[in-house]
Structures are given as structure tokens and as C-alpha cells.
Amino acid sequence: MVLAETVPALSETLIPPLLQGAAKLAALVAQGVHVERILTCLSGPFSNEAALQAASFDTAVLSFLSDRPDLGLALQADVLRTCSVFRMAPGCDAESHTAPPLRLLALAAPGDLQMNMPIEFITEHLNVRLDIVFVLPDQPLPAVLPDHDVAICVVSDSNPATLARLAPMLTIWPRPVLNNPATIAGGNIDGLARDGVARLFAASLHVLAPTTVACTRAEIVDFLAAGAPLDEFLPEGAWPLLVRPVGSHAGRLLERLNDRKELGIYLASLSADQFYLSSFVDYRDTDGFFRKSRIALVQGQAFLCHMAVSDHWMIHYLNAGMTESAAKRADEARAMAAFDAGFACRHGAALAELHDALGLDYVLLDCAEAPDGRLLLFEVEMAAIIHLLDPVDMFPYKQAPMRRVFAAFSAMLTRAVQPASTVSRIISNSNQRSSDDASSVSASLSALVARS
């Protein structure tokens, strides 16, 4: 279906249903509050439709957080049939702010927590009023949206169709726009896919993005049957190689395969039809450990958000044993303290090249240092998370660096706003909770923390 898209009208008096959101719910889970207790606080009763819609959406988010994606998607779809615009409840530091909050509108797509940039984990710590509108397939945007100072597209490269749909509209949007899809990779949205990123930096002197090809099951079967050299299928490829289904994240179903036999066994074990094949780069340091960093690029300025240390090549922060090892945490603390003068300085040219080529105001990079000295780029992440959920007593060194990232994000929003657009504006009742029911839910969730 081809939609006749029009830019919505903007209203300061529109008050969407008020969400607790993933950041607040994840904080409760991280603090040990049982999911069933949180569900009790979200279960009503409710005196109006908006409070019911908000609690239902939060229940969908909680389902994603508790690894029940099918339930989460079903609940989310049910809510989005009646409401596609929501407002996040004020952040954890809201009472400390005296100035009016900056009004931010995020354009998102339906899906699980890997579909969109989890922006609320950042704005939770800022003086920002965050509204979110979900862009629904085959449906126009709402005729009226909340007025805002700046908009940001938070849809990830997992949904290129929505990015392509939004690009022309956001080019004429009545407010400044960050992460405009029209600027991604020089206007080539597919450039953020794994194989697109590899092509984008294939000739780079500073960035090593391992050669990656997207292929179908049938193509792999034909390659195995033909017995052709690997480099005819994966340019410059050599065994071992990495393989994963297209659309998989967080290392799910990612394997390192040593030969054709293992590739055939892997293929037979899955029902997926599309895969990425990539060259494997052994990025072990001289001490035998692998180190993978998550770096935020905020309008080109780099910040280290975490560094996982492991004796296994496939690292994710949650499986690296960081909580079990004081030595690994000390290693990460040193890396964060020395980042500006160390990693960021050594790879300054690479980071500048990444910023220019990707065309994104805000993006996360999963990367390491390659044996040849280049920045080894694993993935360009639009939907990855950075947060302050780690226990302060175990990770005290993360507080200041993460707040620097949040401050840079806030400064980016402020720079985007038209001059003087917020100087004389007085925030109306739209900055308040949308109903007594929503206030009750928030109070109940807060009480859970106090009792835990």
C-alpha cells in the first residue's frame, strides 16, 4: 500500500497516555523486584482508557524484558490498534530540574526492544519530556502529534522500510530532526546492514570491517555442492568464518566454523533462509584475552560506554563474567579512565571516518582493536542499549563516564533546537502526569523499590 503521507499538525495541549517505559521497568528488574509483583502494579483498576493503554503497553515491555517476546508482541499490537502515541513519565532526576524540559519526539516502529533505539535509558537522566509515536505499517501517522522542540528517528536498520518511508517526510518536518534517515550512509539505508557496513569501509585505511556477504540457504547449498574455493563465495575469505541468520542479534545463533563440513552441519540445524557470512579476525590481546568495546558517537564525539573482557572470541557484556571478576572490572575501569587519551586518540581518524560515513547524529559502535592497529568494527548499532543500571558498589567507575555520555546527548538536543524556541515557553499541564491512574501506577512501582 502506498500512503499519501502528510506532516501531522502539532499541538501542545495533546496529552498522550503516560508510560513507565523500559528504563524504569528494567531498573526494577535489575534491583531484584519480581516480574509478577510489577505486573500487579500494572493491573489496574483504571478509570480511563489512556491509563489502561499505558499499563497495557508497559506490560508488553515487561514481557520483552522477561524473555517472553511472543506475548510482548501480541500485547503491543493490541494496544497500537487503539493508540500509537505515548509519553514517558518524568525521569528519575525530574524533581531536581527547575528549567522547563526540552520537548523531544521520537519516531519509532512496532517491534521488540531491538527494533528501536532505547532512548528512554538516556532521557531518564535528562531534563527532557519524551513523547513517542509508533509508525504503523500501511497506516498514516496520526493527524495531530504533541508539539516538540526537536524530533529524533529511533527506528533501527532492522526496519529499512520504515526508515525509507520516513526519510522524505522528516526532510520537511516542521521541527529539527536528528538521525534523519535521509542522511544515513549517504542516503543508502542498506548501508547500515552488516554487509552494507563491510562495503562502506572496504577501502578504509583506518577501519577494519570484516568482509561480509548476505546469502540465501540455496546459495550456500550450491557453494558447498560445487566445491569452489571459499574466496569465490566470500571475497578474500578464509577459514574459519562466522555465520549467523540475517536478523539475529546479541550473538544468537552466531557460530565460528572451521570448514565446509561444519558449515553444512550448521545449515542443517536451522530453518532460516538468509544468512550473513563474515571473515573472522582473531583480535586477542597479547595476554590472551579478547576485549570488545561499546562506543557512543554523539555527533562525532566518542565515549566508551563499556568494555567486556573474555577468554572467548564471542563477547557480550552479560556473558563476559564482569560481575564475577574484580580483575576484569579493574581492566574496564582503566580503559574508561584512559579512553580519551588512549583509544579515542589512537583511533581518532577511524572515529571521524565512521561519523562522516554513517551520517548519524547518535549511534553506537561495537568494536575492538585489530592486530594491524586499525579499529575493528563488529557492528553499527542503532538499537543497542547504554544505561546506568549496573550496581554502583560493584561498578563505581561507570557513573561519571556514563553521565558524560548523557550530558553530550543533552547538548546535542539543545544544539538542534531553533534559537530561543524554549526561552519564553512555559510548560503547560502536558508536562504533568496524564491521570490519577498513571500517578498511582508510578507510586506503586516506586513503593516496590522501597520494599525490595
Side-chain angles (χ1 to χ4, degrees):
M1 177 185 297
V2 178
L3 298 173
E5 300 272 25
T6 58
V7 176
L10 303 179
S11 169
E12 182 56 32
T13 60
L14 178 63
I15 304 176
L18 196 70
L19 299 177
Q20 299 307 310
K24 288 184 173 63
L25 295 174
L28 290 173
V29 173
Q31 292 165 30
V33 179
H34 197 278
V35 169
E36 298 305 321
R37 296 178 68 193
I38 304 174
L39 284 172
T40 299
C41 295
L42 296 173
S43 63
F46 304 106
S47 63
N48 62 49
E49 183 69 12
L52 173 61
Q53 290 167 330
S56 298
F57 196 93
D58 279 330
T59 303
V61 171
L62 189 61
S63 299
F64 294 133
L65 291 171
S66 56
D67 199 26
R68 292 179 284 186
D70 292 341
L71 176 59
L73 290 171
L75 290 170
Q76 183 190 85
D78 187 58
V79 177
L80 292 178
R81 275 192 281 270
T82 60
C83 180
S84 61
V85 186
F86 300 90
R87 176 163 294 167
M88 286 293 170
C92 57
D93 302 324
E95 294 183 358
S96 66
H97 300 301
T98 57
L102 183 144
R103 303 170 302 168
L104 177 63
L105 178 72
L107 294 101
D112 61 20
L113 298 181
Q114 295 176 332
M115 182 57 67
N116 302 294
M117 178 200 307
I119 190 173
E120 62 266 37
F121 286 85
I122 301 175
T123 58
E124 175 76 6
H125 302 278
L126 305 180
N127 188 21
V128 167
R129 188 195 78 186
L130 176 61
D131 293 322
I132 301 179
V133 54
F134 286 88
V135 183
L136 306 179
D138 300 327
Q139 294 186 37
L141 288 177
V144 180
L145 291 175
D147 200 358
H148 49 283
D149 301 305
V150 61
I152 184 169
C153 180
V154 298
V155 181
S156 78
D157 61 287
S158 297
N159 195 331
T162 299
L163 289 171
R165 173 186 165 186
L166 286 172
M169 184 185 300
L170 291 179
T171 301
I172 59 171
W173 200 255
R175 300 289 183 265
V177 176
L178 296 168
N179 276 17
N180 190 333
T183 68
I184 291 176
N188 178 21
I189 291 168
D190 291 336
L192 292 187
R194 293 182 190 275
D195 56 332
V197 169
R199 289 191 297 271
L200 198 61
F201 297 101
S204 175
L205 299 177
H206 309 293
V207 178
L208 173 56
T211 303
T212 301
V213 296
C215 50
T216 65
R217 172 182 293 272
E219 288 171 333
I220 297 176
V221 169
D222 289 344
F223 159 71
L224 292 174
L230 178 61
D231 59 6
E232 291 185 11
F233 191 66
L234 178 65
E236 300 179 11
W239 302 98
L241 56 75
L242 301 180
V243 60
R244 74 178 83 206
V246 171
S248 68
H249 295 278
R252 182 175 176 269
L253 302 178
L254 170 65
E255 295 288 347
R256 184 177 67 177
L257 307 178
N258 293 307
D259 52 38
R260 295 169 181 275
K261 181 180 178 180
E262 290 187 3
L263 179 56
I265 294 171
Y266 176 87
L267 200 65
S269 70
L270 299 176
S271 60
D273 189 57
Q274 293 184 308
F275 300 87
Y276 285 123
L277 269 62
S278 304
S279 297
F280 173 74
V281 177
D282 189 341
Y283 61 102
R284 272 176 295 192
D285 285 332
T286 54
D287 61 0
F289 283 97
F290 297 90
R291 290 172 173 83
K292 188 171 81 169
S293 299
R294 175 158 293 173
I295 293 174
L297 276 185
V298 186
Q299 291 187 324
Q301 187 177 5
F303 300 87
L304 178 60
C305 300
H306 69 228
M307 185 187 76
V309 184
S310 176
D311 57 5
H312 194 276
W313 63 269
M314 186 172 65
I315 311 177
H316 295 283
Y317 202 81
L318 294 179
N319 71 12
M322 301 297 291
T323 57
E324 292 81 18
S325 173
K328 290 182 179 181
R329 295 195 299 275
D331 194 349
E332 181 183 37
R334 287 191 294 270
M336 297 188 95
F339 180 75
D340 289 345
F343 190 107
C345 185
R346 289 193 301 276
H347 299 289
L351 293 167
E353 182 180 350
L354 282 158
H355 174 63
D356 291 341
L358 296 174
L360 290 162
D361 297 286
Y362 170 82
V363 68
L364 298 177
L365 311 171
D366 281 348
C367 59
E369 295 189 88
D372 66 3
R374 285 183 289 174
L375 185 149
L376 175 58
L377 181 63
F378 298 117
E379 191 169 4
V380 174
E381 297 269 19
M382 293 181 69
I385 183 174
I386 60 172
H387 58 79
L388 260 181
L389 298 178
D390 294 310
V392 178
D393 58 342
M394 186 175 290
F395 298 91
Y397 56 88
K398 286 189 176 182
Q399 292 291 310
M402 291 311 302
R403 292 193 181 278
R404 283 187 64 213
V405 183
F406 300 157
F409 193 93
S410 179
M412 174 185 71
L413 298 178
T414 301
R415 284 192 296 268
V417 176
Q418 295 297 327
S421 64
T422 59
V423 172
S424 60
R425 177 174 52 80
I426 299 176
I427 296 297
S428 69
N429 289 335
S430 63
N431 189 43
Q432 305 302 316
R433 288 171 166 77
S434 60
S435 67
D436 291 339
D437 297 296
S439 296
S440 177
V441 169
S442 182
S444 298
L445 292 173
S446 298
L448 279 180
V449 177
R451 295 199 301 270
S452 298

